């Protein structure tokens, strides 16, 4: 038997066991200046994760615990205290982050327990990795590849472990129970990956009436990359989905989703453009297209004004550019990025506002460093907001 790379005595029939440690640390400073709230928010948080993965043949067991500490807590964390300062959604927390068993063989991966589930671009189902506490699922998941290029990915999740941690309450619970079915069938073509999906999301309205977010979403996505020689690459994606109420959701609605996006990369210089629509049915609260299980920070601007889709829906027209390099001196994975968003309603022709996002990031050995800035210029929705992040991530 092998434990942590060290041979140990054991049965002649026993398979070797390899134990791999898990250790991660994050330090982040977030500053928020938001019109309408006199005080500013300053959050300095330290997040650590530790655990181990034990593997024997096709079987593995992974256990990871995490803790989040607010070193400077001049902010509203969403669950504790009064909202006298802007929201920074990183409450202090200690939790079991991952506790899963997995069987992995040729063409089949089965996972049971508390786990990360991130599908496609994470628009509908994701890990919300940007937030300190992230999002995991108590679930069983089957990933099956019956033939090369064809993959079926089906999960049943009975609990969603949210970013709000052990103090979560009311509409910001620690965990949201329900019967969630997440199904994804993808096929690799010469031009890209074509995916059909069905997401049945149960947010347990009977327990927390404020949620009203149970939905059934059916759609398709196509994403691919095409190279023009060695120096030029085009990346593209398109999605369509239709969503309606599900389970005990008291809202009767039907709304559509559209996405078209393309990025041109010329020797590391990038230009990006896209258009995303989360539609509205009746213009009433929560009768617009919602993505309660998605990694919503990645979409529609980092100022987080559209984590919940407005009653009249939202249309996001965006343009961006930047530069990326594998290595510059001692730094690797260097990225410079700027994106401009224009936000409008899906109905009633309202101009919500504009936003600028800036990012500079790189890796120095095992440490990832990122500096972000977001400025939201409000027109008819929310208020002017500036956010700054300085972040350091380390992992063994």
């Amino acid at each position: 038997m092998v434990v942590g790379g060290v041979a140990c005595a054991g049965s002649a029939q026993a398979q070797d066991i390899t134990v791999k440690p898990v250790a991660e640390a994050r330090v982040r400073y977030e500053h928020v200046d938001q019109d309408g709230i006199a005080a500013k928010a300053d959050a300095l948080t330290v997040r650590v994760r530790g655990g181990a993965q034990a593997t024997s043949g096709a079987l593995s067991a992974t256990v990871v615990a995490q803790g989040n500490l607010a070193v400077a807590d001049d902010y509203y964390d969403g669950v504790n205290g009064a909202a006298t300062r802007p929201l920074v959604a990183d409450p202090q927390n200690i939790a079991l982050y991952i506790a899963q068993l997995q069987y992995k063989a040729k063409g089949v991966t089965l996972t049971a327990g508390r786990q990360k589930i991130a599908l496609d671009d994470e628009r509908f189902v994701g890990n919300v990795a940007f937030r300190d506490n992230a999002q995991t699922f108590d679930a069983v998941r089957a990933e099956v590849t019956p033939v090369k290029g064809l993959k079926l990915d089906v999960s049943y999740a009975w609990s969603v472990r949210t970013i709000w941690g052990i103090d979560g309450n009311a509409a910001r619970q620690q965990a949201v129970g329900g019967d969630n079915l997440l199904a994804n069938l993808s096929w690799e073509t010469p031009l890209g990956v074509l995916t059909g999906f069905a997401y049945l999301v149960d947010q347990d309205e009977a327990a927390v009436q404020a949620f009203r977010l149970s939905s059934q979403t059916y759609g398709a996505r196509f994403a691919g990359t095409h190279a023009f020689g060695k120096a030029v690459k085009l990346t593209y994606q398109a999605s369509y989905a239709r969503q309606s109420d599900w389970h005990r959701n008291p809202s009767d609605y039907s709304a559509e989703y559209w996405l078209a996006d393309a990025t041109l990369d010329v020797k590391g210089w990038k230009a990006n453009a896209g258009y995303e629509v989360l539609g509205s049915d009746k213009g009433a609260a929560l009768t617009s297209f919602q993505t309660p299980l998605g990694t919503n920070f990645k979409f529609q601007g980092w100022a987080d004004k559209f984590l919940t889709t407005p009653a009249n829906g939202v249309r996001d027209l965006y343009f961006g550019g930047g530069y990326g390099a594998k290595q510059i001196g001692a730094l690797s994975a260097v990225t410079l990025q700027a994106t401009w968003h224009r936000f409008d309603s899906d109905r009633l022709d309202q101009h919500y506002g504009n936003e600028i996002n800036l990012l500079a990031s790189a890796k120095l050995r095992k440490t990832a460093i990122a500096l972000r800035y977001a400025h939201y210029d409000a027109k008819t929705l929310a208020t002017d907001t500036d956010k700054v992040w300085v972040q350091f991530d380390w992992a063994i």
Side-chain angles (χ1 to χ4, degrees):
M1 184 167 64
V2 178
V3 179
V6 180
C8 301
S11 166
Q13 277 101 13
Q15 286 190 306
D16 291 344
I17 298 177
T18 302
V19 178
K20 180 181 178 182
V22 176
E24 302 175 13
R26 168 186 287 175
V27 177
R28 178 162 67 212
Y29 169 71
E30 181 170 345
H31 172 81
V32 185
D33 182 357
Q34 181 174 323
D35 278 9
I37 302 178
K40 299 177 176 60
D42 290 288
L44 178 61
T45 57
V46 178
R47 200 254 343 258
V48 293
R49 289 178 181 155
Q53 180 184 68
T55 303
S56 178
L59 297 174
S60 68
T62 305
V63 176
V64 179
Q66 71 174 12
N68 188 45
L69 174 67
V71 179
D73 61 353
D74 294 328
Y75 67 100
Y76 174 54
D77 66 13
V79 295
N80 296 298
T84 56
R85 293 179 184 270
L87 173 67
V88 176
D90 289 325
Q92 295 192 114
N93 185 39
I94 184 167
L96 184 61
Y97 180 60
I98 300 291
Q100 69 176 43
L101 295 174
Q102 187 174 82
Y103 171 82
K104 192 170 186 177
K106 184 178 180 181
V108 178
T109 300
L110 305 175
T111 310
R114 187 161 301 172
Q115 58 188 283
K116 294 186 289 186
I117 301 178
L119 301 178
D120 298 320
D121 60 354
E122 300 189 57
R123 191 39 163 139
F124 303 114
V125 181
N127 179 229
V128 198
F130 180 78
R131 300 276 38 130
D132 284 343
N133 295 316
Q135 174 176 271
T136 55
F137 299 80
D138 292 339
V140 290
R141 182 182 185 185
E143 300 168 79
V144 181
T145 306
V147 296
K148 184 179 179 180
L150 183 66
K151 181 181 178 181
L152 175 64
D153 190 332
V154 179
S155 300
Y156 166 71
W158 57 90
S159 179
V160 181
R161 315 300 296 194
T162 75
I163 65 172
W164 301 112
I166 56 176
D167 293 329
N169 57 73
R172 292 170 174 162
Q173 294 183 87
Q174 174 188 9
V176 181
D179 298 313
N180 299 278
L181 181 63
L182 315 171
N184 200 311
L185 180 63
S186 60
W187 175 43
E188 293 185 17
T189 76
L191 296 178
V193 178
L194 178 62
T195 303
F197 53 83
Y199 303 135
L200 308 183
V201 176
D202 178 7
Q203 289 283 279
D204 197 3
E205 284 83 9
V208 182
Q209 289 294 332
F211 271 72
R212 302 180 64 185
L213 291 173
S214 293
S215 63
Q216 51 183 325
T217 302
Y218 306 94
R221 168 183 165 84
F222 184 75
T225 300
H226 184 77
F228 300 89
K230 295 182 179 180
V232 181
K233 181 174 66 176
L234 178 65
T235 302
Y236 42 84
Q237 58 178 321
S239 291
Y240 170 78
R242 188 171 187 86
Q243 182 181 96
S244 58
D245 52 286
W246 176 252
H247 199 58
R248 288 174 289 193
N249 190 336
S251 300
D252 179 13
Y253 77 100
S254 178
E256 294 182 315
Y257 171 86
W258 299 85
L259 171 69
D261 179 278
T263 301
L264 184 65
D265 185 329
V266 181
K267 295 184 178 180
W269 294 95
K270 296 178 175 64
N272 169 251
Y275 188 58
E276 184 183 42
V277 178
L278 281 75
S280 173
D281 186 355
K282 303 177 176 66
L286 298 182
T287 62
S288 51
F289 199 106
Q290 304 292 335
T291 58
L293 302 186
T295 300
N296 295 340
F297 177 81
K298 293 175 60 177
F299 302 88
Q300 298 180 336
W302 299 333
D304 282 348
K305 299 301 180 182
F306 300 94
L307 297 181
T308 299
T309 306
N312 288 319
V314 58
R315 300 188 176 206
D316 176 15
L317 174 66
Y318 56 90
F319 299 95
Y323 177 76
K326 292 182 179 180
Q327 195 78 34
I328 299 179
L331 300 177
S332 61
V334 177
T335 298
L336 299 174
Q337 177 184 312
T339 305
W340 174 84
H341 297 262
R342 177 189 169 97
F343 300 111
D344 295 287
S345 63
D346 181 53
R347 59 189 300 277
L348 302 186
D349 194 26
Q350 299 171 322
H351 178 36
Y352 291 146
N354 304 315
E355 182 167 331
I356 295 174
N357 295 153
L358 304 175
L359 170 67
S361 66
K363 288 194 69 175
L364 180 61
R365 298 183 181 89
K366 293 184 178 181
T367 302
I369 307 164
L371 174 63
R372 294 176 187 261
Y373 170 72
H375 171 69
Y376 178 74
D377 179 17
K379 301 302 181 184
T380 63
L381 185 139
T383 58
D384 291 355
T385 300
D386 290 279
K387 295 189 177 186
V388 176
W389 297 267
V390 182
Q391 180 172 318
F392 300 87
D393 285 281
W394 173 89
I396 61 172

